[in-house]
PDB file of all heavy atoms in Angstrom:
ATOM      1  N   LEU A   4     -38.079 -13.743  38.777  1.00  0.00           N
ATOM      2  CA  LEU A   4     -38.508 -12.438  38.289  1.00  0.00           C
ATOM      3  C   LEU A   4     -37.965 -12.339  36.860  1.00  0.00           C
ATOM      4  O   LEU A   4     -36.759 -12.431  36.628  1.00  0.00           O
ATOM      5  CB  LEU A   4     -37.924 -11.316  39.158  1.00  0.00           C
ATOM      6  CG  LEU A   4     -38.281 -11.352  40.643  1.00  0.00           C
ATOM      7  CD1 LEU A   4     -37.554 -10.256  41.389  1.00  0.00           C
ATOM      8  CD2 LEU A   4     -39.787 -11.182  40.808  1.00  0.00           C
ATOM      9  N   MET A   5     -38.868 -12.104  35.927  1.00  0.00           N
ATOM     10  CA  MET A   5     -38.506 -12.103  34.522  1.00  0.00           C
ATOM     11  C   MET A   5     -38.830 -10.734  33.927  1.00  0.00           C
ATOM     12  O   MET A   5     -39.978 -10.369  33.807  1.00  0.00           O
ATOM     13  CB  MET A   5     -39.253 -13.169  33.754  1.00  0.00           C
ATOM     14  CG  MET A   5     -38.868 -13.322  32.303  1.00  0.00           C
ATOM     15  SD  MET A   5     -37.209 -13.995  32.154  1.00  0.00           S
ATOM     16  CE  MET A   5     -37.495 -15.645  32.761  1.00  0.00           C
ATOM     17  N   GLU A   6     -37.767 -10.008  33.547  1.00  0.00           N
ATOM     18  CA  GLU A   6     -37.943  -8.684  32.937  1.00  0.00           C
ATOM     19  C   GLU A   6     -38.020  -8.785  31.436  1.00  0.00           C
ATOM     20  O   GLU A   6     -37.494  -9.746  30.818  1.00  0.00           O
ATOM     21  CB  GLU A   6     -36.771  -7.727  33.289  1.00  0.00           C
ATOM     22  CG  GLU A   6     -36.494  -7.536  34.759  1.00  0.00           C
ATOM     23  CD  GLU A   6     -35.304  -8.318  35.212  1.00  0.00           C
ATOM     24  OE1 GLU A   6     -35.040  -9.408  34.598  1.00  0.00           O
ATOM     25  OE2 GLU A   6     -34.639  -7.906  36.179  1.00  0.00           O
ATOM     26  N   MET A  94     -28.480  -1.086  32.722  1.00  0.00           N
ATOM     27  CA  MET A  94     -29.156  -2.357  32.850  1.00  0.00           C
ATOM     28  C   MET A  94     -30.200  -2.158  33.945  1.00  0.00           C
ATOM     29  O   MET A  94     -29.848  -1.705  35.034  1.00  0.00           O
ATOM     30  CB  MET A  94     -28.202  -3.478  33.214  1.00  0.00           C
ATOM     31  CG  MET A  94     -28.843  -4.847  33.293  1.00  0.00           C
ATOM     32  SD  MET A  94     -29.240  -5.479  31.641  1.00  0.00           S
ATOM     33  CE  MET A  94     -27.669  -6.133  31.201  1.00  0.00           C
ATOM     34  N   TYR A  95     -31.456  -2.517  33.655  1.00  0.00           N
ATOM     35  CA  TYR A  95     -32.508  -2.325  34.622  1.00  0.00           C
ATOM     36  C   TYR A  95     -32.922  -3.667  35.215  1.00  0.00           C
ATOM     37  O   TYR A  95     -33.131  -4.660  34.468  1.00  0.00           O
ATOM     38  CB  TYR A  95     -33.736  -1.673  33.967  1.00  0.00           C
ATOM     39  CG  TYR A  95     -33.560  -0.191  33.764  1.00  0.00           C
ATOM     40  CD1 TYR A  95     -32.641   0.302  32.821  1.00  0.00           C
ATOM     41  CD2 TYR A  95     -34.260   0.745  34.528  1.00  0.00           C
ATOM     42  CE1 TYR A  95     -32.478   1.682  32.639  1.00  0.00           C
ATOM     43  CE2 TYR A  95     -34.087   2.084  34.364  1.00  0.00           C
ATOM     44  CZ  TYR A  95     -33.182   2.546  33.402  1.00  0.00           C
ATOM     45  OH  TYR A  95     -32.980   3.887  33.287  1.00  0.00           O
ATOM     46  N   TYR A  96     -32.989  -3.704  36.545  1.00  0.00           N
ATOM     47  CA  TYR A  96     -33.290  -4.935  37.258  1.00  0.00           C
ATOM     48  C   TYR A  96     -34.619  -4.803  38.036  1.00  0.00           C
ATOM     49  O   TYR A  96     -34.849  -3.841  38.749  1.00  0.00           O
ATOM     50  CB  TYR A  96     -32.170  -5.260  38.249  1.00  0.00           C
ATOM     51  CG  TYR A  96     -30.876  -5.532  37.579  1.00  0.00           C
ATOM     52  CD1 TYR A  96     -29.906  -4.509  37.442  1.00  0.00           C
ATOM     53  CD2 TYR A  96     -30.519  -6.822  37.181  1.00  0.00           C
ATOM     54  CE1 TYR A  96     -28.711  -4.765  36.837  1.00  0.00           C
ATOM     55  CE2 TYR A  96     -29.295  -7.075  36.589  1.00  0.00           C
ATOM     56  CZ  TYR A  96     -28.382  -6.038  36.404  1.00  0.00           C
ATOM     57  OH  TYR A  96     -27.170  -6.275  35.851  1.00  0.00           O
ATOM     58  N   CYS A  97     -35.419  -5.843  37.900  1.00  0.00           N
ATOM     59  CA  CYS A  97     -36.638  -5.914  38.690  1.00  0.00           C
ATOM     60  C   CYS A  97     -36.219  -6.606  40.011  1.00  0.00           C
ATOM     61  O   CYS A  97     -35.355  -7.474  40.055  1.00  0.00           O
ATOM     62  CB  CYS A  97     -37.615  -6.790  37.972  1.00  0.00           C
ATOM     63  SG  CYS A  97     -39.100  -7.291  38.868  1.00  0.00           S
ATOM     64  N   TRP A 112     -33.973 -10.948  42.707  1.00  0.00           N
ATOM     65  CA  TRP A 112     -33.576 -10.098  41.586  1.00  0.00           C
ATOM     66  C   TRP A 112     -33.804 -10.827  40.287  1.00  0.00           C
ATOM     67  O   TRP A 112     -33.577 -12.015  40.167  1.00  0.00           O
ATOM     68  CB  TRP A 112     -32.100  -9.708  41.695  1.00  0.00           C
ATOM     69  CG  TRP A 112     -31.798  -8.983  42.965  1.00  0.00           C
ATOM     70  CD1 TRP A 112     -31.521  -9.478  44.208  1.00  0.00           C
ATOM     71  CD2 TRP A 112     -31.823  -7.533  43.119  1.00  0.00           C
ATOM     72  NE1 TRP A 112     -31.349  -8.454  45.099  1.00  0.00           N
ATOM     73  CE2 TRP A 112     -31.521  -7.270  44.459  1.00  0.00           C
ATOM     74  CE3 TRP A 112     -32.064  -6.461  42.250  1.00  0.00           C
ATOM     75  CZ2 TRP A 112     -31.447  -5.979  44.961  1.00  0.00           C
ATOM     76  CZ3 TRP A 112     -31.989  -5.211  42.748  1.00  0.00           C
ATOM     77  CH2 TRP A 112     -31.694  -4.939  44.093  1.00  0.00           C
ATOM     78  N   GLY A 113     -34.184 -10.036  39.247  1.00  0.00           N
ATOM     79  CA  GLY A 113     -34.253 -10.547  37.929  1.00  0.00           C
ATOM     80  C   GLY A 113     -32.863 -10.505  37.251  1.00  0.00           C
ATOM     81  O   GLY A 113     -31.894 -10.076  37.863  1.00  0.00           O
ATOM     82  N   GLN A 114     -32.816 -10.975  36.009  1.00  0.00           N
ATOM     83  CA  GLN A 114     -31.549 -11.035  35.273  1.00  0.00           C
ATOM     84  C   GLN A 114     -31.224  -9.701  34.635  1.00  0.00           C
ATOM     85  O   GLN A 114     -30.055  -9.483  34.238  1.00  0.00           O
ATOM     86  CB  GLN A 114     -31.646 -12.104  34.197  1.00  0.00           C
ATOM     87  CG  GLN A 114     -31.726 -13.540  34.775  1.00  0.00           C
ATOM     88  CD  GLN A 114     -30.514 -13.876  35.570  1.00  0.00           C
ATOM     89  OE1 GLN A 114     -29.398 -13.752  35.143  1.00  0.00           O
ATOM     90  NE2 GLN A 114     -30.755 -14.291  36.811  1.00  0.00           N
ATOM     91  N   GLY A 115     -32.177  -8.824  34.501  1.00  0.00           N
ATOM     92  CA  GLY A 115     -31.936  -7.509  33.984  1.00  0.00           C
ATOM     93  C   GLY A 115     -32.341  -7.385  32.512  1.00  0.00           C
ATOM     94  O   GLY A 115     -32.355  -8.350  31.760  1.00  0.00           O
ATOM     95  N   THR A 116     -32.683  -6.169  32.127  1.00  0.00           N
ATOM     96  CA  THR A 116     -32.974  -5.832  30.729  1.00  0.00           C
ATOM     97  C   THR A 116     -32.308  -4.524  30.397  1.00  0.00           C
ATOM     98  O   THR A 116     -32.311  -3.595  31.192  1.00  0.00           O
ATOM     99  CB  THR A 116     -34.510  -5.772  30.495  1.00  0.00           C
ATOM    100  OG1 THR A 116     -34.754  -5.585  29.103  1.00  0.00           O
ATOM    101  CG2 THR A 116     -35.167  -4.655  31.293  1.00  0.00           C
TER     102      THR A 116
END
Side-chain angles (χ1 to χ4, degrees):
L4 301 174
M5 185 69 68
E6 304 102 332
M94 184 72 83
Y95 282 71
Y96 297 93
C97 171
W112 299 87
Q114 293 298 306
T116 186

